[in-house]
């Protein structure tokens, strides 16, 4: 039960609606229980001498009236209870999402997107079902079984005792089959998602498949998934096929007993004919709570498993947070950076990816980082931006330990064009103004021009209102990079970081972007990572990193003189350029 703390919190928050729903539900259930009584009296009345047909009309009208009132109250309780459960689901999902946003890169490295998606959908569903149906069924169980039993016993105690003997079996059948059905249903769902995944993969990867002439093998993979889906469905159908007959069988026994024993009692005049009919109706009504107990048990188990999974995430501590030493008097950054003897590994038992790294950048300077792939360039950025936390007293901005700077300030004043660019499936314009929502069109166009993407966007059918992604224009790697650069430039941050952001841009365009960049970033700190030295040679300071260690630093001229790795890479790239040219 303690898993449901959050649910109770929200139930309390919306308690008025729940109380109203509860009231409507009880009225609805209660009135429902009166109908067989009305039928009983009308039948017994018909059999009495002196019964007038006008009385029958009265009974008929009464039942219609009851039906109308029941319908109204049923409508109301659905709105109050089921509607409210939807609202709570929404609130929990919002909490969940808000919390996800706080979690660190490390969390997302350790949790699969698919699992998180499942929590936000399937698990939320299970909780909603439990809240809504749990309440409704709970009330139904109590009202239905209490009232039915009361009226049945009132009609004939011994008869009641006989016919209810088989009914508890219903509960067990529901619990038992419910579990199997749920398990198999999950397998059907899994199989379906793997089938759609395969189909989607083969469609989006069709060019690769064709170019490697792998149509047959990809066809085989899809049809295998397709077979699997059918198989899982058949296994589900089989349980359903057993489940209903089992229910009908048990109910049949009770009905049979009623007919035999109750029928005899009617003939012997121990109970009236009307009572016999009413008894049958109440028996039918008693079936529902028996089924409901089993159902709600399963719902509860599923819901609490889901709640546990969601709690695991909701109570996962956000590990990248403002620490106690944070200084909220820091409102903005100036942009000088220093790393002091930084050692770092991503996971405890893994080897170090940063080894005694020290360097500094003054405010307004441009720093370039060069190094082979996997050398640790992006890791430096990850630590500077607190995507991952460095050890204390190793990274300083404006002379402050990075942990003294509020995260909000850090995030506001540093913009990155990351190596793996992500654009939203929204318009080009919205993507560019992502970091500065109040940007004017003029600003957006100006920075698009600076990033050398303006002309290309103007060639799109809807220009800056073109949607990016599957439903709209598909962009080349270089186009994406330049849109991301425009986005970062528009934010005009105190520190701008370009992580390999020009890798897919041709050298001509690159030169133009760099010229604009130098103009726009005058007196503002910029960090550039690139494999091409032509991109970096104008930087005030260049550090060369290899296997997590800084092996050279200086400006272009100094490093060439050094004749180390930098000079080596530079020469190779010069020869390549000559060959290409
Ligand atoms: N690494 C890791 N966990 C991460 C990121 C990186 O274990 N979340 C490891 C992989 C490499 C090392 O850290 O062994 C350095 O990775 P970087 O991403 O810092 O390397 P680069 O950015 O220099 O490489 P590239 O030029 O390919 O981007
Ligand atoms: Mg990298």
């Amino acid at each position: 039960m303690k898993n449901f703390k959050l649910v109770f919190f929200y139930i309390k928050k919306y308690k008025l609606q729940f109380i109203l729903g509860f009231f409507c539900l009880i009225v609805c259930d209660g009135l429902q229980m009166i109908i067989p009584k009305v039928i009983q009296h009308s039948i017994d009345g018909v059999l009495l001498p002196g019964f007038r047909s006008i009385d029958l009309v009265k009974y008929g009208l009464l039942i219609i009236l009851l039906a109308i009132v029941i319908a109204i109250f049923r409508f109301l309780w659905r709105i109050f209870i089921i509607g409210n459960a939807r609202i709570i689901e929404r609130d929990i999902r919002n909490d969940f999402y808000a919390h996800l946003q706080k979690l660190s890169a490390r969390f997302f490295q350790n949790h699969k997107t698919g699992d998180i998606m499942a929590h936000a959908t399937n698990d939320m569903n299970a909780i909603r079902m439990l809240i809504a149906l749990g309440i409704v069924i709970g009330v139904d169980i109590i009202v239905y079984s209490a009232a039915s039993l009361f009226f049945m016993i009132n009609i004939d105690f011994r008869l009641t005792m006989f016919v209810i003997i088989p009914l508890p079996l219903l509960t067990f059948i529901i619990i038992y089959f419910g579990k199997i059905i749920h398990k198999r249903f999950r397998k059907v769902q899994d199989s379906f998602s793997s089938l759609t995944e395969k189909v989607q993969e083969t469609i989006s990867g069709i060019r690769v498949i064709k170019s490697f002439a792998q149509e047959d093998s990809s066809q085989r993979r899809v049809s295998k998934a397709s077979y699997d889906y059918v198989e899982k469905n058949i296994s589900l159908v089989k349980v359903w096929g057993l489940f209903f007959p089992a229910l009908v069988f048990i109910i049949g026994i009770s009905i049979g007993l009623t007919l035999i024993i109750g029928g005899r009692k009617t003939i012997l005049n121990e109970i009236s004919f009307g009572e016999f009919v009413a008894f049958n109706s109440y028996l039918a009504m008693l079936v529902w709570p028996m089924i409901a107990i089993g159902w709600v048990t399963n719902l509860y188990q599923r819901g609490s498993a889901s709640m546990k999974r969601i709690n695991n995430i909701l109570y996962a501590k956000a590990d990248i947070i403002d620490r106690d030493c944070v200084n909220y008097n820091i409102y903005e950054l100036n942009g000088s950076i220093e790393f002091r003897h930084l050692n770092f590994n991503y996971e405890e038992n893994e080897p170090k990816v940063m080894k005694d790294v020290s360097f500094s950048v003054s405010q307004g300077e441009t720093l370039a980082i060069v190094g082979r792939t996997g050398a640790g360039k992006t890791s430096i950025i990850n630590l500077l931006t607190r995507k991952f936390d460095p050890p204390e007293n190793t990274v300083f901005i404006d002379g402050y330990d990075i942990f003294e700077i509020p995260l909000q300030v850090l995030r506001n004043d540093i913009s990155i064009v990351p190596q793996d660019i992500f654009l939203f499936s929204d318009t080009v314009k919205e993507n560019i103004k992502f970091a500065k929502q109040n940007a004017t069109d003029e600003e957006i166009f100006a920075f698009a021009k600076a990033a050398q993407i303006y002309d290309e966007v103007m060639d799109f059918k809807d220009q800056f209102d073109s949607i990016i992604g599957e439903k709209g224009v598909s962009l080349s790697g270089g186009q994406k990079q330049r849109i991301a650069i425009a986005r970062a430039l528009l934010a005009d941050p105190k520190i701008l970081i370009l992580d390999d952001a020009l890798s897919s841009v041709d050298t001509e365009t690159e030169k133009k972007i760099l010229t604009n960049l130098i103009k726009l970033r005058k007196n503002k700190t910029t960090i550039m990572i690139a494999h091409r030295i032509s991109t970096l040679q104008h930087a005030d300071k260049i550090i060369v990193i290899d296997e997590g260690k800084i092996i050279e630093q200086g400006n272009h001229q100094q490093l060439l003189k050094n004749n180390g790795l930098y000079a080596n890479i530079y020469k190779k790239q010069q020869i390549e350029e000559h060959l290409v040219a």
Side-chain angles (χ1 to χ4, degrees):
M1 270 297 169
K2 68 177 194 299
N3 283 339
F4 289 100
K5 220 171 97 192
L6 196 63
V7 172
F8 288 128
F9 170 79
Y10 282 118
I11 289 183
K12 247 186 240 156
K13 183 172 166 195
Y14 301 112
K15 66 172 176 276
L16 183 65
Q17 284 93 316
F18 276 119
I19 291 172
L20 285 173
F22 207 70
F23 170 76
C24 294
L25 181 59
I26 288 182
V27 170
C28 188
D29 278 1
L31 293 180
Q32 196 100 25
M33 302 312 294
I34 297 176
I35 291 179
K37 272 281 150 195
V38 178
I39 295 174
Q40 175 194 328
H41 285 293
S42 60
I43 291 175
D44 285 343
V46 170
L47 299 177
L48 283 179
F51 185 83
R52 294 168 311 162
S53 48
I54 184 79
D55 294 326
L56 207 53
V57 174
K58 262 194 240 157
Y59 282 123
L61 285 178
L62 181 58
I63 286 184
I64 291 173
L65 182 69
L66 280 174
I68 291 172
V69 178
I70 287 172
I72 293 171
F73 277 89
R74 174 165 290 152
F75 174 79
L76 290 175
W77 74 245
R78 287 195 81 89
I79 299 276
F80 286 130
I81 295 179
I82 311 245
N84 235 2
R86 286 266 176 201
I87 289 172
I88 292 182
E89 182 195 11
R90 175 202 66 193
D91 286 354
I92 295 180
R93 189 180 283 130
N94 282 348
D95 286 351
F96 180 78
Y97 184 67
H99 188 70
L100 272 186
Q101 300 239 53
K102 286 194 210 130
L103 295 174
S104 60
R106 190 186 301 278
F107 172 87
F108 290 100
Q109 196 164 301
N110 297 334
H111 289 78
K112 282 192 280 179
T113 313
D115 289 344
I116 300 175
M117 290 289 289
H119 297 325
T121 51
N122 292 346
D123 284 335
M124 294 293 168
N125 253 339
I127 293 169
R128 186 196 73 233
M129 296 270 284
L130 177 61
I131 298 171
L133 296 177
I135 293 177
V136 176
I137 295 176
V139 172
D140 274 6
I141 290 173
I142 294 167
V143 176
Y144 272 60
S145 47
S148 310
L149 279 175
F150 172 79
F151 287 122
M152 282 162 80
I153 289 171
N154 207 273
I155 291 169
D156 193 297
F157 179 76
R158 283 182 35 159
L159 177 61
T160 309
M161 288 303 119
F162 270 115
V163 302
I164 63 170
I165 290 170
L167 291 185
L169 265 178
L170 285 177
T171 310
F172 290 108
I173 287 184
I174 301 281
I175 293 180
Y176 177 72
F177 276 92
K179 279 200 184 109
I180 301 181
I181 286 173
H182 181 64
K183 225 187 265 164
R184 297 197 180 181
F185 181 66
R186 282 294 272 267
K187 284 193 179 152
V188 168
Q189 274 183 318
D190 289 346
S191 171
F192 182 69
S193 56
S194 117
L195 174 63
T196 41
E197 207 180 280
K198 293 244 158 55
V199 172
Q200 202 213 336
E201 231 175 47
T202 46
I203 292 172
S204 50
I206 191 79
R207 286 197 205 96
V208 183
I209 293 170
K210 277 182 182 295
S211 65
F212 284 95
Q214 290 300 315
E215 288 93 338
D216 284 349
S217 77
S218 96
Q219 164 90 49
R220 267 199 304 278
R221 270 167 18 115
V222 171
S223 75
K224 194 167 155 239
S226 204
Y227 271 113
D228 182 72
Y229 181 54
V230 172
E231 227 167 71
K232 297 279 155 44
N233 265 302
I234 289 178
S235 100
L236 178 62
V237 169
K238 277 184 195 154
V239 237
W240 276 118
L242 284 175
F243 172 65
F244 280 114
L247 282 189
V248 172
F249 175 67
I250 306 273
I251 297 169
I253 295 177
S254 279
I255 294 177
L257 286 174
T258 312
L259 278 183
I260 297 167
I261 306 170
R264 190 164 163 271
K265 278 179 185 285
T266 315
I267 295 167
L268 295 177
N269 255 338
E270 284 175 29
I271 57 175
S272 75
F273 186 53
E275 283 176 325
F276 178 63
V277 174
F279 191 91
N280 272 292
S281 302
Y282 286 122
L283 177 66
M285 284 179 170
L286 194 56
V287 166
W288 163 235
M290 293 297 138
I291 292 177
I293 291 174
W295 199 18
V296 87
T297 312
N298 289 341
L299 277 180
Y300 175 74
Q301 286 172 348
R302 249 170 263 164
S304 80
S306 290
M307 202 63 228
K308 225 195 239 154
R309 284 192 288 266
I310 287 174
N311 284 340
N312 273 343
I313 290 183
L314 274 180
Y315 297 119
K317 267 243 209 65
D319 50 347
I320 306 274
I321 45 169
D322 281 335
R323 298 190 181 175
D324 292 337
C325 60
V326 67
N327 178 355
Y328 287 113
N329 293 321
I330 303 175
Y331 294 110
E332 59 173 359
L333 303 180
N334 294 320
S336 70
I337 299 166
E338 189 185 353
F339 274 50
R340 281 187 211 156
H341 305 291
L342 169 78
N343 289 289
F344 180 75
N345 48 0
Y346 281 100
E347 300 291 338
E348 249 169 56
N349 307 317
E350 284 178 13
K352 282 189 205 165
V353 293
M354 295 277 100
K355 297 168 197 156
D356 198 29
V357 169
S358 299
F359 66 87
S360 64
V361 188
S362 309
Q363 181 194 340
E365 277 189 336
T366 301
L367 170 79
I369 309 176
V370 201
R372 287 192 266 251
T373 169
K377 303 181 294 295
T378 303
S379 300
I380 291 183
I381 304 309
N382 287 344
L383 296 168
L384 177 66
T385 53
R386 287 192 68 193
K387 202 171 160 195
F388 290 83
D389 273 345
E392 283 180 17
N393 284 315
T394 54
V395 178
F396 299 83
I397 298 180
D398 300 343
Y400 296 112
D401 187 319
I402 196 161
F403 297 110
E404 287 177 63
I405 299 166
L407 265 173
Q408 181 71 27
V409 175
L410 198 68
R411 301 269 191 262
N412 263 339
D413 283 1
I414 304 183
S415 291
I416 315 180
V417 181
Q419 217 167 353
D420 45 344
I421 284 163
F422 181 84
L423 297 176
F424 296 94
S425 47
D426 201 334
T427 59
V428 176
K429 194 188 268 175
E430 286 302 323
N431 267 290
I432 292 179
K433 64 188 258 200
F434 184 68
K436 189 180 173 188
Q437 293 294 331
N438 58 359
T440 61
D441 281 0
E442 285 68 37
E443 283 179 288
I444 293 170
F445 297 155
F447 286 104
K449 278 178 189 155
Q452 298 292 316
I453 187 69
Y454 181 81
D455 293 339
E456 277 156 78
V457 174
M458 292 309 277
D459 283 342
F460 295 158
K461 193 171 133 268
D462 296 319
Q463 302 180 330
F464 276 81
D465 293 320
S466 313
I467 305 269
I468 294 173
E470 278 187 11
K471 285 191 203 127
V473 288
S474 26
L475 300 176
S476 73
Q479 286 170 329
K480 279 188 204 154
Q481 282 186 332
R482 280 172 287 150
I483 288 178
I485 291 173
R487 167 160 80 190
L489 287 176
L490 175 63
D492 192 25
K494 288 289 158 38
I495 300 177
L496 173 70
I497 300 168
L498 304 176
D499 188 351
D500 220 5
L502 295 164
S503 59
S504 308
V505 176
D506 63 88
T507 24
E508 265 323 291
T509 314
E510 177 182 45
K511 258 186 209 142
K512 287 184 198 153
I513 297 176
L514 286 175
T515 314
N516 294 332
L517 203 66
I518 289 168
K519 244 186 276 160
L520 287 168
R521 298 300 299 169
K522 212 169 165 197
N523 298 328
K524 287 182 203 135
T525 312
T526 306
I527 301 180
M528 309 224 344
I529 296 175
H531 284 106
R532 243 183 280 161
I533 286 188
S534 59
T535 320
L536 309 170
Q537 53 191 349
H538 301 295
D540 300 301
K541 181 178 257 174
I542 301 170
I543 60 181
V544 183
I545 181 165
D546 201 35
E547 293 182 359
K549 258 191 300 227
I550 294 185
I551 54 170
E552 289 176 275
Q553 41 181 317
N555 64 27
H556 183 65
Q557 296 306 332
Q558 291 165 337
L559 290 178
L560 283 188
K561 259 189 227 137
N562 235 357
N563 217 5
L565 183 64
Y566 183 86
N568 205 344
I569 300 176
Y570 182 64
K571 276 176 215 151
K572 263 193 216 147
Q573 289 184 353
Q574 284 237 305
I575 295 171
E576 278 169 24
E577 258 176 54
H578 277 294
L579 286 178
V580 174

